[in-house]
Amino acid sequence: MKRAVYPGSFDPMTYGHLDIIRRASEIFDILIVSVLNNKPKTPLFSVEERVKILEEATKDLPNVKVDSFSGLLSNYAAENNLHVAVRGLRAITDFEYELQLAQGNRKLSDGHLDTVFLTTSLEYAYLSSSSVKEIASFGGDVSHAVPEYVASQMYEKFKQMKGMD
Ligand code: ADP
């Protein structure tokens, strides 16, 4: 059985992520989408909320499982006997960061964890979680970027944050 992990912040998941998930789920027998829980900056969605969104979005994909982890990907992969990480590449700007991550993970795992890159479908090349959050924070339309239930949760969060100012 070929298993792979797709790690990321997914704060929140966009159609760009979902496109990578769908395509990777056709390549691997089991794909574990795992939400990273150690970003220094405060996320908009909690890990539990991000996991729920991913579970809802992937419920029609039986070989996709959603999980979360803290700390180093190389440790998480070793503990779960995973040897392939999937990452998405949008543009040349992603390349340097992704190359560093991939090489770091190979080194830290003593060569046991490799990274496979899928290039973005062109219609999602411009999408990032941070730009979607910025648009939503001003009440803009994000229906091209995220499912309706994600958009409404984002508007609700920004409404609450504005209420606190
Ligand atoms: P990070 O894990 O670096 O905080 P994200 O959670 O936003 O970033 O993304 C996880 C992975 O998905 C990264 O490899 C990123 O390049 C990729 N990705 C993000 N948005 C898209 C998109 N629109 N199309 C393809 N890949 C994407």
Side-chain angles (χ1 to χ4, degrees), residues 9 24 28 41-43 45 49 52 60 62 84 96 112 118 127 141 143 146 159 165:
S9 306
F28 297 98
K41 58 181 184 189
T42 325
F45 288 96
E49 289 169 327
K52 269 213 177 107
D60 62 325
V84 180
E96 196 162 337
H112 292 297
L118 292 182
L127 276 187
D141 180 12
S143 58
V146 295
K159 207 166 94 190
D165 285 345

Side-chain angles (χ1 to χ4, degrees), residues 92-164:
I92 194 77
T93 41
D94 279 340
F95 182 77
E96 196 162 337
Y97 172 66
E98 293 291 344
L99 184 70
Q100 267 178 18
L101 269 185
Q103 287 172 338
N105 284 328
R106 233 179 104 70
K107 180 92 191 145
L108 286 168
S109 65
D110 283 331
H112 292 297
L113 180 60
D114 256 312
T115 303
V116 166
F117 293 103
L118 292 182
T119 51
T120 182
S121 298
L122 283 181
E123 68 260 48
Y124 304 124
Y126 68 98
L127 276 187
S128 71
S129 298
S130 47
S131 67
V132 172
K133 280 185 281 194
E134 188 163 8
I135 296 168
S137 75
F138 293 110
D141 180 12
V142 289
S143 58
H144 58 286
V146 295
E148 210 286 310
Y149 57 90
V150 179
S152 55
Q153 285 182 58
M154 273 198 287
Y155 294 134
E156 189 51 38
K157 285 202 180 272
F158 286 118
K159 207 166 94 190
Q160 281 170 10
M161 281 156 78
K162 279 182 185 139
M164 286 188 296

